[in-house]
């Protein structure tokens, strides 16, 4: 942790994505690095990843200005739904081809790398003092907050199909499940956020307790939604938006923002350290070439095609489309989703995890290191 915090200073100066630094430190303390720690507890990694992702999304909602929805909501919705499906389809077919896998297994890899992590982009852009156009900024931010549920849904659906001896998928049941996830997630997230906002406005437990009430309330919204059959990730993001955009000044809001900003960094460090610890670097070498090819298809073909198709009705300039395409970094969510096949007992789970991990690494290196340069050129 100390190394991660200290490395953030160097990272900001050279433009390296912080998430890449955290992953690298996790790998260095692992079994193939000087740390020599042997760690292969997938279930604990999944639990930590789930919890930390909920905290990160809640903070993302707190920092989202609802006024940006005026220019970015509909483009972001298309990218977060249709865009994820198109990206997963193209990248999945490429994965099946390069890895010589059945098409369903290839689509599973595509689904796992289908969602973006704009948090990495904005940490670089803001550290370099760059300001994006409002519509581009809003589209990327909102997309990153709401596209995870679609990737999670596709991954769970494909893992379920593959673990049931390749049974014919029940598309009607899958459509109903998706509607339930989104509907319950949106309903509980908005209502839970309003209830939490009412509590924060009416109760004064003291300056130090206000952020804790918001934090515990956010996790309660996340858990209640998941238990109710909805998308906890969507719910906790929407709850954050409700609280962060209170119609009147909220008592202790500055403390809430400071606390959750720190908790979001704590969560990102925790998540990437343990994901880096879980991976065995020497096992990445056999999949290096096909993973590189999949990453190139994802970055240069799948994401740009999805962006052009989804933004076509909204008349984005070609330079804006190019940047939205290039700014679609992959981050923590694909690696966490790569744990699902392990938990589902699939035979090639280790292969899926290694490929997805390598693709995320390449995305952070190729796109993460050049996103600020690309913003300036475009």
């Amino acid at each position: 942790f100390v190394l991660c915090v200290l490395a953030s200073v160097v990272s900001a100066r050279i433009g390296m994505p912080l998430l890449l630094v955290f992953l690298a430190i996790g790998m260095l303390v692992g079994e193939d690095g000087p740390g020599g720690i042997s760690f292969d507890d997938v279930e604990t990694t999944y639990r930590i990843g789930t919890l930390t992702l909920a905290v990160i999304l809640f903070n993302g909602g707190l920092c989202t200005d609802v006024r940006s929805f005026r220019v970015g909501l509909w483009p972001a919705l298309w990218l977060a739904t249709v865009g994820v499906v198109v990206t997963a389809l193209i990248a999945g077919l490429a994965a099946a081809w390069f890895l010589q896998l059945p098409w369903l297994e290839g689509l599973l890899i595509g689904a796992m790398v289908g969602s973006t992590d704009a948090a990495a982009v904005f940490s670089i852009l803001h550290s370099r003092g760059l300001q994006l156009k409002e519509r581009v900024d809003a589209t990327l931010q909102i997309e990153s907050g709401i596209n995870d549920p679609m990737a999670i849904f596709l991954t769970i659906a494909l893992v379920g199909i593959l673990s049931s001896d390749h049974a014919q998928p029940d598309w009607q049941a899958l459509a109903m499940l998706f509607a339930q996830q989104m509907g319950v997630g949106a309903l509980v997230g908005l209502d839970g956020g309003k209830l939490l906002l009412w509590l924060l406005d009416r109760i004064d437990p003291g300056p130090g307790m206000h952020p804790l009430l918001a934090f515990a309330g956010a996790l309660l919204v996340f858990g209640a939604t998941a238990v109710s059959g909805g998308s906890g990730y969507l719910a906790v993001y929407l709850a954050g938006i409700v609280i962060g955009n209170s119609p009147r000044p909220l008592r202790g809001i500055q403390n809430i923002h400071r606390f959750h900003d720190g908790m979001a960094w704590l969560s990102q460090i925790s998540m990437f350290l343990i994901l880096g610890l879980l991976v065995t670097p020497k096992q990445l070498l056999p999949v290096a070439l096909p993973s590189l090819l999949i990453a190139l298809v994802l970055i240069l073909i799948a994401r740009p095609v999805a962006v052009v198709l989804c933004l076509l009705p909204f008349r984005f300039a070609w330079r804006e489309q190019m940047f939205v395409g290039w700014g679609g970094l992959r981050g923590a969510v694909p690696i966490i989703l790569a744990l699902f096949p392990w938990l589902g007992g699939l035979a090639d789970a280790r292969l899926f995890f290694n490929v997805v991990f390598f693709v995320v690494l390449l995305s952070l290196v190729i796109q993460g290191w050049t996103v600020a340069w690309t913003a300036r050129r475009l």
Side-chain angles (χ1 to χ4, degrees):
F1 268 86
V2 172
L3 284 174
C4 287
V5 174
L6 295 178
S8 67
V9 180
V10 179
S11 167
R13 290 179 179 174
I14 64 176
M16 180 189 295
L18 262 178
L19 308 186
L20 182 61
V21 175
F22 301 157
L23 272 179
I25 292 175
M27 294 166 71
L28 286 172
V29 300
E31 56 186 299
D32 283 356
I37 298 173
S38 180
F39 179 80
D40 59 0
D41 192 337
V42 176
E43 189 171 341
T44 296
T45 303
Y46 170 71
R47 288 179 177 177
I48 291 175
T50 300
L51 177 64
T52 52
L53 187 57
V55 175
I56 292 166
L57 284 171
F58 181 66
N59 183 64
L62 282 174
C63 299
T64 299
D65 188 346
V66 76
R67 290 173 297 182
S68 67
F69 279 42
R70 175 177 53 84
V71 292
L73 177 60
W74 289 109
L77 276 175
W78 276 86
L79 285 170
T81 51
V82 177
V84 171
V85 173
V86 172
T87 302
L89 182 62
I90 297 174
L93 293 175
W97 176 268
F98 293 130
L99 293 168
Q100 297 296 295
L101 293 172
W103 69 276
L104 274 177
E105 294 190 0
L107 288 180
L108 175 59
I109 293 176
M112 290 186 287
V113 298
S115 65
T116 63
D117 188 343
V121 180
F122 294 113
S123 66
I124 296 173
L125 291 174
H126 296 160
S127 69
R128 304 296 286 273
L130 299 176
Q131 295 295 326
L132 298 179
K133 289 182 178 179
E134 183 186 10
R135 187 163 66 154
V136 175
D137 195 320
T139 299
L140 276 172
Q141 283 203 62
I142 299 169
E143 179 204 3
S144 69
I146 62 178
N147 69 358
D148 296 338
M150 174 59 87
I152 293 168
F153 167 77
L154 291 175
T155 301
I156 291 175
L158 287 167
V159 168
I161 293 169
L162 289 168
S163 61
S164 60
D165 299 323
H166 299 269
Q168 191 68 23
D170 185 345
W171 298 112
Q172 185 176 356
L174 289 175
M176 290 294 292
L177 177 62
F178 178 72
Q180 175 185 321
Q181 287 271 309
M182 297 299 104
V184 174
L187 183 65
V188 179
L190 292 172
D191 289 344
K194 291 175 183 176
L195 177 59
L196 190 53
L197 181 62
W198 182 85
L199 281 173
L200 289 167
D201 195 38
R202 296 295 190 280
I203 297 174
D204 186 13
M209 297 293 282
H210 238 81
L212 294 179
L213 177 59
F215 178 71
L219 294 183
L220 181 59
V221 168
F222 176 78
T225 308
V227 170
S228 304
S231 170
Y233 296 112
L234 177 61
V236 78
Y237 178 69
L238 292 176
I241 289 176
V242 171
I243 295 170
N245 292 274
S246 172
R248 61 175 181 268
L250 185 64
R251 184 189 298 115
I253 190 62
Q254 289 186 339
N255 286 339
I256 290 173
H257 275 292
R258 289 194 195 100
F259 175 82
H260 284 90
D261 185 55
M263 289 303 296
W265 279 115
L266 174 69
S267 297
Q268 290 201 58
I269 293 173
S270 302
M271 183 190 301
F272 279 90
L273 276 180
I274 198 166
L275 288 172
L277 197 58
L278 183 66
V279 75
T280 306
K282 64 184 177 186
Q283 295 181 355
L284 297 178
L285 294 177
V287 298
L289 181 58
S291 298
L292 172 61
L293 296 174
I294 294 167
L296 291 176
V297 169
L298 174 67
I299 295 169
L300 300 177
I301 300 175
R303 171 69 177 178
V305 168
V307 168
V308 170
L309 289 176
C310 292
L311 298 187
L312 195 60
F314 303 102
R315 299 184 179 180
F316 276 69
W318 68 268
R319 292 174 183 268
E320 296 172 335
Q321 292 184 35
M322 284 186 67
F323 184 77
V324 171
W326 193 255
L329 271 76
R330 269 54 198 172
V333 175
I335 305 177
I336 292 173
L337 292 182
L339 301 176
F340 284 26
W342 244 331
L343 298 171
L346 298 187
D348 290 328
R350 169 60 80 170
L351 171 67
F352 299 151
F353 180 82
N354 288 338
V355 169
V356 170
F357 191 93
F358 211 109
V359 169
V360 170
L361 270 181
L362 291 168
S363 174
L364 290 173
V365 171
I366 298 171
Q367 294 170 278
W369 235 314
T370 59
V371 70
W373 178 87
T374 307
R376 291 194 185 95
R377 293 298 176 276
L378 294 175

